[in-house]
Amino acid sequence: MKKITKLIFLFFLITLFRPISSNASNNEINVYLFYGRECPLCLELKDVLDEIKEDYPNLKVHKYEVWYNAENRNYMNEAATILDTKVTGVPFTVIGTKVFNGYSSFARKGELKHTIEIYSKVASYKDPVGEMLGVVKNSGTLTYEDIVKASDDGESHIFEVPLAGPVAAKDLSLPIISILIGAIDGFNPCAMWVLFFLISVLIGMKDRKKMWILGSTFILTSAIIYLLFMLLWLNVITFVGSLKWFKILIALIALIGGTLNVRSFIKSKDTGCTVVDETKRKSIFTKIKKITTEKKLSLSIIGIIVLAVTVNFIEVSCSAGLPVIFMSILSMNDLSVLEYSFYMFLYILFFLIDDLIIFIIAMVTLKLTGISNKYAKYSHLIGGILMIIIGILLIFKPEWLTFNF
Amino acid sequence: MKIIKISTVWCPSCLVMNPRYKEIKDRYPNIEFVSLDLDLDEEAKEYNVGSILPVFILFNDEEIEVERLIGEHKTKELISIIEKHL
């Protein structure tokens, strides 16, 4: 019997790491890239297209240099007229009826890939520029918008939400994910004890103005540190995000982090505060006392900022990968810079919401109110389960995590 | 009987337990209650507090530890344990 169980376990391991199937279909997708020879963004876009070609072998890139070649320039202008748009600069890229004017690596790569994914869903599509260039003969009739509308899980996935009216899937799922993961991450008590101690010292100070300034500086700095960490992670994802081994790495972080979280919930018999190592505690206490008793407000503020930076580096490492997973989900969706910023702001707002509530109540009532640690415990459980689910989805059904397919 | 409570200012669970602890104190005026802060009172270290706070230690009249409660507990629970040893 033992041999069979080993074989099953081995088989499970192998299937767990089978490459995530890319859903490229066999229809040919033509991309028309109008570029300038020395244009740096054009070079970058060419690299990105080559990278995407790995996942989509049926992708054909047709390049037209327009700075030195007048004929190509005419083609570009004609393409713009056909598609009823204006050329704002190079690179000027066309796929079917979808136009990309210029290129910013930050968000467009997701959009490009997503457009190719959309066109991969149909056998043929309307390609007026291809016809004009003689690349294709009588192409299909479906425009980009048609395909998105027709595809059962496309942007046309509209929910009827009371009061808010019709809301597209993307507009509903990502905010909920941001709030959910942000709030769960926020309940992580790793650095909470420092805030509590700071507030208890601030309350003792009896100088209201200084209390508000130092307390809000601490919370604001924490938000900025977390934002920087998320941006750092987003940049990593932008470069290696589409590589398969990276997706599996994120899935592993999610699965391991999730298991650790669930385990810590099961193992924690008593609901209480975890006592941080004494030397670390003492060093932070002396820092806080020194900062708050500092005569010059400006020096106090600098001291608080430095304290918040050090403390939040502890927090970032101890939050078991939730922000990493969140950023990975964001990057799988086709978002503009504005949307990225909005969801990250939402995440951080709910990440800090418990700190904000505690701080404001303390400042108003001059009393420190505690939140039971059972919520932190359950956040480990819920966060853990959520991470395990996301980990499994990242491996088996990554497309479920893109909400505007 | 004597009850020693060991907590800290930065521990939310300790703050949650404070009102419950006060309720018990008012309910049993002839029990001796001692509050120690793990950071400020050296004496607190003699009771080898584990990794979770707050900690409630019950001593009988012969100053022998008879019960130890760790973390957050409902007032009813505290009362039933005290009653058991009264």
Side-chain angles (χ1 to χ4, degrees):
Chain A
M1 184 47 194
K2 244 177 169 258
K3 248 203 177 97
I4 299 170
T5 39
K6 270 195 190 128
L7 275 175
I8 292 167
F9 182 67
L10 207 67
F11 174 74
F12 173 73
L13 256 184
I14 292 165
T15 51
L16 188 64
F17 290 103
R18 70 180 166 74
I20 297 165
S21 66
S22 80
N23 47 19
S25 79
N26 37 33
N27 74 327
E28 195 176 79
I29 299 173
N30 291 302
V31 180
Y32 309 105
L33 171 59
F34 299 93
Y35 70 98
R37 200 177 301 143
E38 297 89 6
C39 143
L41 286 180
C42 306
L43 275 177
E44 198 177 326
L45 178 55
K46 274 190 222 157
D47 295 344
V48 167
L49 285 171
D50 292 342
E51 209 183 289
I52 293 173
K53 233 170 120 64
E54 274 171 37
D55 287 348
Y56 293 88
N58 57 332
L59 187 71
K60 275 221 166 48
V61 183
H62 307 267
K63 299 174 183 134
Y64 302 86
E65 206 288 328
V66 295
W67 280 358
Y68 298 94
N69 182 318
E71 192 191 5
N72 287 346
R73 210 164 31 249
N74 293 336
Y75 282 145
M76 180 171 71
N77 293 326
E78 208 176 323
T81 331
I82 292 172
L83 294 171
D84 191 23
T85 180
K86 271 205 215 56
V87 176
T88 55
V90 284
F92 178 77
T93 320
V94 176
I95 308 176
T97 55
K98 175 103 176 173
V99 175
F100 295 85
N101 245 319
Y103 174 75
S104 76
S105 63
F106 188 67
R108 275 302 169 81
K109 186 177 151 199
E111 213 175 326
L112 263 170
K113 229 185 128 198
H114 170 57
T115 307
I116 292 160
E117 270 161 22
I118 288 282
Y119 275 114
S120 300
K121 291 172 186 267
V122 291
S124 74
Y125 59 86
K126 191 174 178 193
D127 188 359
V129 173
E131 284 174 14
M132 178 265 287
L133 294 168
V135 172
V136 290
K137 286 194 184 48
N138 38 50
S139 63
T141 55
L142 290 174
T143 66
Y144 177 74
E145 285 68 28
D146 297 335
I147 304 167
V148 165
K149 283 241 164 350
S151 62
D152 49 1
D153 46 11
E155 273 144 353
S156 62
H157 209 82
I158 307 284
F159 288 101
E160 194 54 43
V161 177
L163 300 178
V167 174
K170 163 183 154 187
D171 305 331
L172 201 62
S173 319
L174 282 179
I176 291 175
I177 284 245
S178 312
I179 291 169
L180 189 65
I181 302 185
I184 288 170
D185 194 8
F187 261 113
N188 220 319
C190 301
M192 180 78 94
W193 66 276
V194 176
L195 177 70
F196 264 88
F197 186 78
L198 174 63
I199 292 176
S200 67
V201 170
L202 290 177
I203 288 175
M205 273 166 46
K206 300 278 180 285
D207 172 347
R208 279 277 172 130
K209 187 181 143 216
K210 196 169 182 183
M211 279 160 53
W212 278 102
I213 292 170
L214 296 187
S216 24
T217 306
F218 182 84
I219 293 175
L220 193 65
T221 313
S222 310
I224 292 164
I225 295 292
Y226 230 68
L227 182 67
L228 291 177
F229 173 71
M230 292 169 106
L231 283 174
L232 165 84
W233 197 251
L234 185 63
N235 271 311
V236 167
I237 293 170
T238 311
F239 283 106
V240 291
S242 61
L243 301 181
K244 286 209 184 70
W245 63 264
F246 182 76
K247 287 182 186 164
I248 290 171
L249 174 70
I250 293 292
L252 282 180
I253 289 175
L255 289 170
I256 294 165
T259 323
L260 288 176
N261 265 324
V262 172
R263 198 171 135 259
S264 95
F265 171 80
I266 295 163
K267 272 186 71 183
S268 64
K269 235 174 6 40
D270 302 308
T271 306
C273 310
T274 316
V275 181
V276 177
D277 130 79
E278 192 177 356
T279 29
K280 199 195 295 179
R281 269 197 344 255
K282 286 252 156 47
S283 92
I284 288 200
F285 293 162
T286 20
K287 272 189 205 139
I288 288 179
K289 284 197 176 130
K290 196 162 159 269
I291 290 167
T292 47
T293 48
E294 171 56 53
K295 289 280 166 296
K296 282 184 99 194
L297 184 61
S298 51
L299 288 182
S300 291
I301 292 172
I302 293 164
I304 283 284
I305 290 171
V306 170
L307 176 74
V309 169
T310 39
V311 159
N312 273 283
F313 266 100
I314 312 165
E315 174 94 15
V316 160
S317 60
C318 120
S319 73
L322 276 174
V324 163
I325 291 156
F326 173 67
M327 292 315 291
S328 307
I329 292 174
L330 281 197
S331 68
M332 292 164 77
N333 285 270
D334 165 24
L335 302 175
S336 65
V337 176
L338 206 64
E339 285 170 318
Y340 268 114
S341 327
F342 171 68
Y343 292 126
M344 280 157 59
F345 168 76
L346 206 57
Y347 182 100
I348 289 173
L349 176 66
F350 278 84
F351 169 72
L352 285 175
I353 209 154
D354 51 350
D355 298 12
L356 283 169
I357 292 169
I358 289 164
F359 173 59
I360 291 166
I361 293 174
M363 291 300 110
V364 170
T365 61
L366 287 186
K367 252 177 69 206
L368 197 48
T369 39
I371 300 179
S372 166
N373 256 296
K374 69 176 177 243
Y375 302 114
K377 250 175 84 173
Y378 283 110
S379 92
H380 279 304
L381 179 66
I382 301 163
I385 294 167
L386 188 71
M387 284 165 77
I388 290 170
I389 293 168
I390 291 172
I392 292 166
L393 286 182
L394 279 169
I395 291 177
F396 294 106
K397 278 274 182 212
E399 58 275 12
W400 284 11
L401 290 170
T402 47
F403 295 96
N404 55 352
F405 315 107
Chain B
M1 178 179 259
K2 180 164 94 171
I3 295 176
I4 292 182
K5 168 177 79 101
I6 299 169
S7 60
T8 62
V9 293
W10 50 262
C11 157
S13 290
C14 305
L15 295 167
V16 164
M17 286 305 291
N18 280 347
R20 299 175 196 170
Y21 184 67
K22 187 176 178 304
E23 208 180 318
I24 299 287
K25 273 175 88 171
D26 299 343
R27 189 185 177 101
Y28 299 98
N30 36 28
I31 291 181
E32 185 195 355
F33 286 86
V34 176
S35 290
L36 296 173
D37 184 297
L38 188 63
D39 295 316
L40 307 175
D41 303 320
E42 279 309 310
E43 188 197 338
K45 297 198 177 68
E46 293 160 22
Y47 299 98
N48 56 62
V49 167
S51 64
I52 301 280
L53 285 176
V55 174
F56 297 89
I57 312 170
L58 275 68
F59 296 87
N60 60 18
D61 296 336
E62 289 79 49
E63 297 268 338
I64 297 161
E65 180 180 334
V66 290
E67 197 86 40
R68 179 173 285 225
L69 278 170
I70 296 169
E72 295 173 29
H73 290 274
K74 299 235 175 329
T75 314
K76 270 183 296 171
E77 233 180 306
L78 290 172
I79 291 170
S80 70
I81 283 174
I82 291 171
E83 295 291 338
K84 197 169 84 180
H85 293 285
L86 267 185

